[in-house]
Amino acid sequence: MMKQIILDAINENESIFKNISIYIGENPELGHEEFKACKILTDTLKEHQFAVETGICDLPTAFKATFDSGKIGPVIGFMAEYDALPELGHACGHNLIGTMGIAAGIGLSKVLSETGGKVIVYGTPAEETKGGKVTMAEAGIFEELDVAMMVHPLDNYLKSGDSLAMDAIQFEFFGKSAHAAASPHLGINALDAVLHTFNSINALRQHIKPDARIHGIITEGGKAANIVPDYAVAQFYVRAGKREDVNILVEKVKQCAEGAALQTGATVKSSFYEFSYDDMITNQTLSAVFTKQLISLGVEETDIHEQRDGSGSLDMGNVSQVVPSIHPYVKICNEAYACHTHEFREAAMTDQGRDAMILGAKSMALTGLEILTDKELLAAIKEEFQKNK
């Protein structure tokens, strides 16, 4: 039975997978610097006869690992993340996510001689910062896939849901310096333009959709209190439930900055200082299959919840725009620890966290098996994708 072959393969390598997650957790690396993580993940995939390409899309720590049956069939993609957070380390559990991706791929590869098709594991760096999947999606690397999956650790079981599209916009204001006491009338205050921008955006918030978010910081506000600032910088994240809403809202935010420049006499330059994230479009047909597999492996149906409100932004959203995708969550702790905290980092290094990682890998692999063996299911997944797109 192919299901048992997959489970046996993951069980036989369970200690290896758990040790990999520990190694990555103990050696945290920031985005685009994940050389140790990339090496141990790709070395393991090579040991299981995956053909590995590293440095894809001009990203030094990205990889693509393919197991090709040589027979026509669906192409299943698993996403691996493995970047850490500054100072906090793996406080988002990416040591589990990366290992989960390769474990699912290795498990599913063991039945491809019977099912046909391909399994591809993608190493996607810098999810926390520059969004490696954004670059990879723009390069068209995911377009050969029939489905894409990844699983994230959390303090609960959540079905795949939505995420917010996001643009990161920066405003540089240029004024004219002057002595703030002796000749302030000769200056043009760039910091005032920043403050007016914040005030205008605060007024704009009354007129945005409930799912929209605008939050920002001042990164440059002047050099000394007795000098009129001739240069000031503000950065904002602009988010909304859909990409088209972000596009509209960004234009309004730009108008706030342009108005502030006009009020103060400064000039303004706007730019996008990080990659843009698209909203996550969960394929509900695919999600239902994954949920079914979780239940078949012992998770109570009543313990699997719909995704809560207030989600952030994911570069998996960019993947979901080009291929049917899911991004569910598995429970790694009994306490309500938030991601990006010391407590969550520790939870991602526990036996409970590693057991959840194995559960997620098995559920993804078994989901892949259903797609490989059920043409009607794959047709339904694709039909939903086209309708949503």
Side-chain angles (χ1 to χ4, degrees), residues 206-255:
Q206 183 182 356
H207 307 286
I208 64 178
K209 291 185 176 181
D211 63 6
R213 303 285 187 273
I214 311 170
H215 37 105
I217 60 171
I218 300 172
T219 60
E220 176 66 58
K223 301 302 182 183
N226 64 344
I227 303 173
V228 174
D230 64 346
Y231 180 69
V233 182
Q235 295 179 338
F236 295 90
Y237 280 175
V238 181
R239 307 183 198 246
K242 298 295 181 183
R243 163 50 51 189
E244 53 266 32
D245 291 334
V246 170
N247 294 342
I248 293 170
L249 189 53
V250 162
E251 291 306 311
K252 293 181 178 180
V253 170
K254 285 182 178 179
Q255 289 171 357

Side-chain angles (χ1 to χ4, degrees), residues 153 208 289 355:
I208 64 178
V289 179
D355 288 342

